[in-house]
Amino acid sequence: MEAEVKQQEKKAVQELDSLFKPKSIAIIGASSKELSIGNVIIKNLVHFGYKGPIYPINPKEPEIRGIKAYPTIFDVPYDIDAAHVIIPSKFVPQIIEDCGKKGIKSVIINSAGFSEMGEEGVALQKAFLAKAKEYGVRIFGPNCQGIINCDPDYNAYCDFTFTFPKPGSISIVALSGGVGAFIMQSLFDLDIGMRMYASNGNACDVSIPDVVNYYGEDEGTKAIILYTEGFSNPKEFMDVAKVVAKKKPILAMKAGRTEEGAKAAASHTGSLAGVDIATELIFEKIGILAFNNEEEMCQTSMAFATQPIPKGNRVGIITNTGGPAVIATDELVSAGMVLPELSEKAKAILTATMLPEASINNPIDVVATGGGQHFRSALDVLMNEDTIDSIYINFVTAPFTDTDEVARQIVEVNKMKKKPIVCNFMTNLSMERYQVTTKIMKDGGVPCYAFPTTAAKALGALYKYHQVSTRNIGEAKVFADVKKENALAIINEAKKEGKSFLSSAQVYKLLAQYGISVADWRIANSVDDAVKAAAEIGFPVVVKADAESLVHKSDMGGVAINLKNEEDVRAVVEKMKGKFNAPDLKFFIQKFLPGGRELIAGVSAKKDLGHLIMFGIGGIYVEVLKDVVFKIAPVTEVEANEMLTKIKAAKLLEGVRGEKAIHKASVIEIIQRLSQLVCDLPMIEEMDLNPIMAFEDKAFVVDARIKI
Ligand code: ADP
Ligand code: MG
């Protein structure tokens, strides 16, 4: 099975070679009009030095931009690898069939007028896709920009944009051409080389996962930048990207809200999960570095393009000015990094080699009068320290030093690629002298940033990649004692009754099938029943009004706790009977479990993704506190553990001011069992276990709702 998947992936990569490494290109819809897409693409290919032949296709023109044109692709006497299609949409299905007959392997359809344009467009898209499948043609687009491959063996600029990147190691994939274009331009402005580019518009065939997989296999791609507005098939994306993300960093921009109508959701989990959270969780689960800010993402890619990944979080700082090092330290520490004390040996070397006024701690302050040899000595010391994983440099181009020499020393050490270096480079670029220094730094592959925080963020991201690529979340545990068939029967019973919410009895029976511990309970129909049930459970008890219409019971006075005896129960039930006139009113009698920490676990179904599992501080204030975290099911033990440590009030679980810590293992087990439950029962829409009462030795669910 696995070998089969590998084989398929290999085939997919080979197929996309005709797209990203085309040996020849036809431009179907080539035009002699300067300001037309069919002209600009030819111009771009030529300007970028495309290595293969270009075949403009135009029924009337003998040549376009000085290149021999052909009336149809069948008139071209050579094989054609790839084609651009820039003709009105209604002719596209026929042209795709022609491409298939001619043996063209990949087609970039730049034309618009398909699925983005209503029914007629959808039909056309279907029609050409059928032809493409029939002939084994891969379709890129439609309604898209195209691809670029800066590999000097190809120089394939199959796109109509205007940025001509220098070759490098960052590959970009962006659903939106506009975003793709500005990312490419930003990399260009930052002097970061690009490897490949793909913007696939409607993405009817070649998808984002296909491209990510292709970049993953491409040796020249060191890091990937991804922009998307959501996933048509999140599961497919996760399967592909998690493999790639282990091999090389994926920097991604999260955009596009994935869910609707959160406010209308009846459960806490539903409303808390309503915000744009799924994409973020996908990125987290598979180890993609998520950015909220496109500028930061582009800036950070500079470090990924040039630097190795650190082996840990220990950073050494070299600075020739004080303040920026303080700013940097703040940012580095908040990224989870530490500044270790230097060894005695290191300090001895620094004392011998630095200026007398230098500071030989970490940060090492070489002082503003420090020159090339001082920077070099500090760099060598940090490179040789076993307790340092990365180096952060603050370099201000002090007018009274040989800044070129400082730059040369930094570059020399940087070229060894032993540990990652980032540099906050503070200078005046309008002065010729400093332009020279800057050029030395940039040509030497030192990632230079204009602000201490930006540089620190970039280094923080390198460290983050170390973390996510070495993290192993393991496999989700499968509890063998669960009774899935019984659980299904309960759900089917509720379905038959035409209910969207399970009754209390159904809920608690269902939890029992999955071994989720609950407080002892009974359902009573009458006062006498209630008294009897309470006696069976043992006082003190809790009585809750139970009817489908009662959502937040305590809001309406439907929860009475700490009932110590028969009289208490009798009085409460009588009162509730008078208060609630729901026809299906029953009484839920439950063991009173005082003094526990109130937690919440919940579930919310997300279209095409499965379920999100939520955990946090529970009770009646859950929506006020909003101290919850989410994960995508199935949740592994490692992830369940992370959920407990990631909430803001994580310390509460440890016990504060003399309280005992809660029994975390019980809560972690409930989360894992809950995860298995919803993976087994996909018809569950929403679910709240709120609260779970957690004690020092156990945890019990005392309130639960399930929506199907
Ligand atoms: P609802 O969420 O519908 O208002 P709950 O059953 O969650 O009703 O009860 C509200 C609150 O009452 C809980 O947050 C908890 O503080 C308390 N409570 C409910 N059941 C118990 C119980 N069995 N033991 C102790 N406290 C309980
Ligand atoms: Mg509740």
Side-chain angles (χ1 to χ4, degrees):
M1 184 64 194
E2 206 156 274
E4 209 172 279
V5 172
K6 283 236 169 76
Q7 205 56 38
Q8 268 176 11
E9 272 169 20
K10 214 168 142 199
K11 187 170 159 258
V13 167
Q14 280 166 357
E15 277 179 10
L16 291 195
D17 273 346
S18 61
L19 175 70
F20 285 99
K21 298 175 176 174
K23 293 192 198 72
S24 54
I25 298 172
I27 315 296
I28 303 170
S31 165
S32 51
K33 272 192 254 138
E34 278 274 341
L35 296 180
S36 68
I37 292 182
N39 191 282
V40 170
I41 290 176
I42 297 173
K43 190 166 127 190
N44 283 352
L45 280 163
V46 171
H47 178 83
F48 208 56
Y50 174 55
K51 287 285 165 31
I54 303 167
Y55 305 117
I57 307 296
N58 183 304
K60 294 188 198 109
E61 308 279 347
E63 60 165 59
I64 289 172
R65 299 198 73 90
I67 303 171
K68 178 175 167 43
Y70 298 86
T72 74
I73 44 174
F74 298 114
D75 299 306
V76 179
Y78 312 100
D79 284 345
I80 305 173
D81 229 9
H84 275 274
V85 166
I86 315 134
I87 57 172
S89 56
K90 63 175 184 228
F91 301 123
V92 171
Q94 180 58 51
I95 280 293
I96 296 301
E97 178 163 15
D98 291 353
C99 287
K101 286 182 178 155
K102 174 70 187 166
I104 295 175
K105 298 185 203 84
S106 284
V107 176
I108 299 169
I109 304 178
N110 300 102
S111 314
F114 298 99
S115 67
E116 80 285 3
M117 290 281 279
E119 254 173 63
E120 206 177 313
V122 171
L124 280 171
Q125 190 162 311
K126 268 204 189 125
F128 78 65
L129 259 180
K131 293 291 173 202
K133 292 260 138 58
E134 190 184 332
Y135 289 93
V137 180
R138 295 302 306 259
I139 303 287
F140 195 81
N143 186 27
C144 74
Q145 273 186 357
I147 68 98
I148 299 169
N149 184 353
C150 302
D151 182 338
D153 287 345
Y154 295 92
N155 288 340
Y157 201 109
C158 306
D159 200 334
F160 50 75
T161 51
F162 49 78
T163 309
F164 296 94
K166 69 170 197 186
S169 59
I170 303 285
S171 289
I172 301 169
V173 54
L175 200 68
S176 149
V179 176
F182 83 63
I183 291 174
M184 177 158 56
Q185 180 63 35
S186 161
L187 259 53
F188 179 80
D189 293 341
L190 289 164
D191 216 19
I192 305 170
M194 191 181 89
R195 170 79 178 168
M196 294 188 195
Y197 175 91
S199 177
N200 55 347
N202 293 11
C204 75
D205 174 24
V206 176
S207 63
I208 297 251
D210 289 340
V211 177
V212 168
N213 181 50
Y214 189 79
Y215 289 172
E217 295 293 321
D218 173 46
E219 269 181 32
T221 296
K222 218 178 142 197
I224 298 167
I225 290 184
L226 164 73
Y227 173 82
T228 180
E229 284 153 12
F231 298 102
S232 57
N233 187 344
K235 281 239 163 79
E236 184 199 3
F237 174 78
M238 284 170 76
D239 286 344
V240 170
K242 80 173 174 217
V243 179
V244 177
K246 286 265 175 218
K247 286 195 285 194
K248 49 187 85 170
I250 304 177
L251 286 63
M253 178 91 183
K254 125 188 141 59
R257 303 194 169 254
T258 44
E259 216 47 51
E260 64 304 310
K263 293 241 165 65
S267 71
H268 296 292
T269 310
S271 60
L272 289 166
V275 279
D276 176 23
I277 194 166
T279 317
E280 201 180 335
L281 293 175
I282 291 173
F283 290 167
E284 184 201 66
K285 186 146 191 138
I286 62 179
I288 286 181
L289 305 172
F291 292 82
N292 294 316
N293 177 312
E294 60 283 7
E295 189 186 348
E296 191 185 320
M297 178 170 73
C298 293
Q299 294 265 12
T300 300
S301 73
M302 176 157 49
F304 280 103
T306 53
Q307 299 303 309
I309 303 300
K311 300 209 160 54
N313 67 342
R314 302 163 305 177
V315 56
I317 299 181
I318 302 172
T319 186
N320 61 353
T321 166
V326 181
I327 297 177
T329 304
D330 280 347
E331 184 59 40
L332 292 166
V333 168
S334 58
M337 303 183 83
V338 292
L339 278 73
E341 176 88 11
L342 299 182
S343 68
E344 288 310 317
K345 191 176 149 213
K347 285 184 190 165
I349 298 172
L350 290 172
T351 311
T353 54
M354 291 290 135
L355 293 171
E357 53 285 18
S359 154
I360 54 167
N361 283 320
N362 184 15
I364 303 170
D365 190 343
V366 299
V367 301
T369 44
Q373 85 263 30
H374 303 110
F375 268 90
R376 179 57 186 259
S377 168
L379 281 160
D380 286 341
V381 161
L382 293 184
M383 282 294 174
N384 291 327
E385 278 285 88
D386 291 337
T387 55
I388 296 290
D389 303 305
S390 62
I391 299 175
Y392 180 101
I393 303 172
N394 268 313
F395 172 20
V396 61
T397 51
F400 36 83
T401 53
D402 181 350
T403 53
D404 292 354
E405 181 55 19
V406 172
R408 274 192 290 270
Q409 293 301 334
I410 294 174
V411 164
E412 233 175 77
V413 175
N414 181 53
K415 290 233 157 108
M416 297 172 195
K417 301 253 178 275
K418 226 171 125 185
K419 294 174 186 174
I421 296 177
V422 299
C423 182
N424 167 40
F425 183 56
M426 298 160 281
T427 194
N428 178 355
L429 271 178
S430 67
M431 288 174 72
E432 224 166 283
R433 172 185 166 188
Y434 296 131
Q435 286 161 10
V436 176
T437 314
T438 307
K439 190 161 173 0
I440 296 171
M441 294 286 276
K442 289 209 164 164
D443 289 351
V446 182
C448 289
Y449 296 95
F451 291 97
T453 301
T454 323
K457 279 199 156 111
L459 189 56
L462 291 181
Y463 164 58
K464 179 91 196 270
Y465 182 67
H466 161 77
Q467 270 184 310
V468 299
S469 60
T470 52
R471 165 178 178 250
N472 183 1
I473 60 169
E475 297 289 325
K477 191 166 170 178
V478 179
F479 295 89
D481 59 353
V482 308
K483 301 190 181 68
K484 183 177 164 184
E485 291 312 314
N486 295 355
L488 262 174
I490 295 168
I491 289 191
N492 285 334
E493 177 190 286
K495 268 194 192 155
K496 239 189 238 145
E497 293 163 3
K499 287 194 293 205
S500 54
F501 285 96
L502 269 57
S503 72
S504 294
Q506 286 165 338
V507 167
Y508 285 87
K509 278 182 194 153
L510 185 65
L511 295 179
Q513 305 312 314
Y514 274 78
I516 295 174
S517 47
V518 302
D520 196 8
W521 61 278
R522 302 280 189 286
I523 301 270
N525 286 307
S526 65
V527 180
D528 288 341
D529 264 9
V531 170
K532 198 172 141 238
E536 278 171 26
I537 291 169
F539 292 99
V541 295
V542 176
V543 171
K544 301 179 187 179
D546 183 26
E548 204 179 349
S549 57
L550 298 175
V551 179
H552 299 306
K553 300 174 291 293
S554 50
D555 285 356
M556 308 164 167
V559 175
I561 60 168
N562 198 12
L563 307 178
K564 295 197 178 68
N565 50 45
E566 223 183 283
E567 289 72 57
D568 286 358
V569 171
R570 208 171 276 283
V572 161
V573 173
E574 290 290 3
K575 200 169 147 205
M576 285 186 186
K577 259 181 138 175
K579 190 165 183 177
F580 304 105
N581 57 2
D584 60 338
L585 183 68
K586 291 194 177 88
F587 303 96
F588 188 79
I589 320 296
Q590 193 180 43
K591 182 78 189 161
F592 179 53
L593 297 172
R597 184 84 55 247
E598 296 198 21
L599 307 174
I600 182 170
V603 170
S604 166
K606 292 271 150 172
K607 202 168 159 284
D608 298 326
L609 184 63
H611 291 91
L612 302 186
I613 307 273
M614 182 183 86
F615 168 78
I617 297 298
I620 53 176
Y621 300 128
V622 57
E623 264 159 290
V624 180
L625 297 170
K626 289 202 171 74
D627 189 8
V628 292
V629 291
F630 288 86
K631 296 266 184 196
I632 298 169
V635 171
T636 70
E637 189 169 346
V638 171
E639 290 179 300
N641 248 300
E642 281 175 7
M643 294 181 93
L644 266 63
T645 53
K646 266 181 80 180
I647 57 168
K648 289 184 220 104
K651 285 219 172 92
L652 273 186
L653 309 184
E654 309 290 344
V656 284
R657 311 203 63 139
E659 290 166 348
K660 293 258 167 55
I662 65 148
H663 196 245
K664 286 193 196 166
S666 302
V667 177
I668 288 167
E669 185 174 324
I670 291 178
I671 295 173
Q672 289 172 272
R673 285 179 179 274
L674 183 62
S675 163
Q676 186 174 345
L677 189 157
V678 291
C679 289
D680 283 353
L681 307 169
M683 64 294 275
I684 292 181
E685 279 275 320
E686 282 176 18
M687 187 162 164
D688 267 349
L689 309 180
N690 183 37
I692 297 166
M693 290 291 190
F695 300 89
E696 59 181 296
D697 54 347
K698 279 187 193 80
F700 303 92
V701 174
V702 306
D703 184 29
R705 282 171 68 74
I706 299 178
K707 185 180 176 205
I708 51 173

